[in-house]
Amino acid sequence: MTLSSTAVDRIRSLVRRRPPAAWRRLLALGLVLAALVTAFWPDVGHPAVVASRDLPAGASLTAADVRVVPLAEPLPGSFTGADAVVGRALSSPARAGVPLTDFDLADAAGDQASVAVRVADQGLAGVVRTGGRVDVVSASGEVLAENAAVRETRGQVVVITLPRLHATRVAAMSLDHALAVTLR
């Protein structure tokens, strides 16, 4: 080792030296301990219930249909436990792995009913999508129901969910006439 007068030369000579074996072993032990701690560190994410597979609208959720996963950020309206959603019905289809929120579930109250409506305009029936919202209009132009949730579509028939009071009226009108729906 030579004596040098500049700081750069001193740093360079220190870097070229090998640290003693004891320091290398201590450093290796510290790295192994850090790896073990991070391997068993609990996940600190925010729990949320997600669909475990693709589910159709109206499906009654079971424990096999949902699972709880951690999210990086809390999601407003999400559920933290599967027991909060089991037994409830979906108001719209759900994709696998997508968190379920309060908007995805049908009202828990029994004041909702589903009605099959034959749509007068076959072209419009092809545009109506499951999970969408529609207004139901009679042939005379009277609005029978507003903001009804579309549960299913089959050809010219659209199944909608709406308050029971309006559902009976829409069902009675659809027996005699095809009804119109307006998209929201």
Side-chain angles (χ1 to χ4, degrees), residues 20-31:
W23 282 109
R24 289 191 307 244
R25 287 184 186 130
L26 187 62
L27 179 63
L29 180 64
L31 290 173

Side-chain angles (χ1 to χ4, degrees), residues 7-25:
V8 174
D9 288 337
R10 281 188 227 149
I11 293 172
R12 196 176 295 148
S13 69
L14 287 174
V15 170
R16 287 184 189 152
R17 281 195 233 161
R18 276 186 92 175
W23 282 109
R24 289 191 307 244
R25 287 184 186 130

Side-chain angles (χ1 to χ4, degrees), residues 63-146:
D65 294 331
V66 296
R67 59 189 168 94
V68 178
V69 298
L71 297 178
E73 296 290 325
L75 181 66
S78 65
F79 301 94
T80 58
D83 56 340
V85 299
V86 171
R88 295 186 61 186
L90 287 172
S91 61
S92 60
R95 289 270 184 209
V98 175
L100 298 175
T101 64
D102 51 356
F103 287 126
D104 297 319
L105 300 179
D107 291 337
D111 65 344
Q112 298 284 315
S114 294
V115 178
V117 174
R118 187 169 33 96
V119 179
D121 184 3
Q122 187 171 359
L124 182 62
V127 175
V128 176
R129 298 283 177 238
T130 302
R133 295 285 185 168
V134 296
D135 295 338
V136 182
V137 182
S138 70
S140 64
E142 178 187 3
V143 177
L144 301 175
E146 293 180 346

Side-chain angles (χ1 to χ4, degrees), residues 5 10 35 41 50 63 65 75 93 113 118 129 137 140 145 160 162 165 167 169 175 183:
S5 59
R10 281 188 227 149
W41 197 266
V50 299
D65 294 331
L75 181 66
R118 187 169 33 96
R129 298 283 177 238
V137 182
S140 64
I160 57 174
L162 57 157
L165 175 67
R169 190 168 166 212
L175 291 174
L183 303 174

Side-chain angles (χ1 to χ4, degrees), residues 32-43:
V32 168
L33 286 175
L36 285 174
V37 166
T38 57
F40 294 107
W41 197 266
D43 191 10

